[in-house]
Amino acid sequence: MRGLMLSRLRRIERAIESAIERQYSTLEQLLERGQYTDFGRRYGLSGIRSAEQFAQQVEIFDYDSFEPYVERMRRGESGVTCEGRVEMFARSSGTASRSKYIPVTRRALRMNHLRGMADVVTMYLQGNPSSQLFEGRTLTLGGSCRRENGALVGDLSALLITVAGRWGEFLRAPSRGAALIEDFDAKCDAVCRECARERITALAGVPSWNMALLRRLLEHTGRSRVIDVWPDLELFMHGGVSFRPYREAFANVMGGPINYLESYNASEGFVAIAERCDSDEMLLMPDYGCYYEFMHNGDVVPLEGVRLGVDYALLMTSESGLWRYRLGDVVRFTSLNPYRVKIAGRTKQYINAFGEELMIGNVEEALLRACFVTGAVVEEYTVSPIFIYERGGYHRWVVEFVYRPDDVQAFAEEIDAALRELNSDYDAKRRSVMQRLEVLMVPAGTFHRWQTATGRRKVPRLREDGSV
């Protein structure tokens, strides 16, 4: 198996070396197949001959504007925005207030998501030649899915497990039955019963779900460290949210060294993979059946037009019938040869209730500084503005700690001081309409219970509506 995975390296290298050509070839193929759809006839895809013409002729969509097409696909209509009938939808709430249904075709699963998952392992093996990854199994903690109107609907991870079938269980744990249990607490109990004595060498999934599982595992086994249960565990393949706030909590629960490898695998498509462990810089994968465009201050450019250090909203056209679809993620290029990106945040993940222009990057950095100074370890958090009639307001931080600071007021002051240093708009508003932030500590398990009750994978870090 190791040899098979490493044999993929040359294909990856060729794709990276010819990224621009691969992107234009991908667009050409998508236009060729898309021209016969209802969407293709409406936007005249058959007559498009260049990336520039494509950008001029097809409008940009977000989920709200694309949803009418999705609803038609969910009703079972064929040939709406892609060939044939869409038989799977990845239900994704993310940090939004309602569920989104992202169409997923079998061709996209094969060309994009499954290929990306395999390439993550390839990248890891290349950088870790002594790895014993295939001496055990990878524990994949995913969601669940069900049939709705003849289509399979659920978390992307559950769709992948279902499509992969039983052959995937040779490399993956837990069993398919346990993996697809809908109730998360029941799923964790089943995983612990099945896998506590398994030889687990890797974990894969969203950090918040995995952290909840690991804590349940320690309760189930009576151990204090994960390495005492799974001594061969060497890798956590994660994505979906920033790992920075979770790093200390994972180090604490693991109790020993482990590698962390990030990928950018959205429900809409698999975008990028880190070449090195513990790095947030990822190689953009140009040949996964997705064509990318990048928008900054209203200007949209293809891959060959991007510049270093600029924050771009990512647009995707995909095998699953998404056209110039705005994912909501903001990426920043750190290298142009090869093309490497890091996720800089979300287009809607900020707070500007008082003119403070507080971005997620500021929040994460301030939190890390406060933890370093006070010795605190944070498991989950969310931030929201609190309005005070005629007197401005302040930010409330709801925080679940692994290790609480000795003085929560000092912790809050450290965050506030860091934000004032990092963000001049925040500092200006703190000197006028904003009071110092408040830290509200909540009991262990609070966020997990909220996720279980709402079915949400991701905790909204920044909310502008004051609903904390």
Side-chain angles (χ1 to χ4, degrees), residues 442-455:
V442 295
T446 298
F447 281 90
H448 168 60
R449 288 190 292 273
W450 175 84
Q451 288 177 288
T452 301
T454 60

Side-chain angles (χ1 to χ4, degrees), residues 244 356-374 395 397 409-428 430 436-437:
R244 293 180 72 193
E356 67 271 40
E357 297 282 354
L358 186 65
M359 305 299 290
I360 186 63
N362 303 147
V363 168
E364 289 184 352
E365 179 62 30
L367 186 66
L368 290 173
R369 291 188 189 184
C371 287
F372 178 78
V373 171
T374 64
H395 291 170
W397 290 57
Q409 187 64 30
F411 180 80
E413 291 172 359
E414 290 291 344
I415 293 177
D416 187 63
L419 289 176
R420 298 187 73 164
E421 178 185 336
L422 293 165
N423 186 318
S424 59
D425 290 312
Y426 178 89
D427 180 61
R430 277 285 286 112
R436 190 170 60 203
L437 63 90

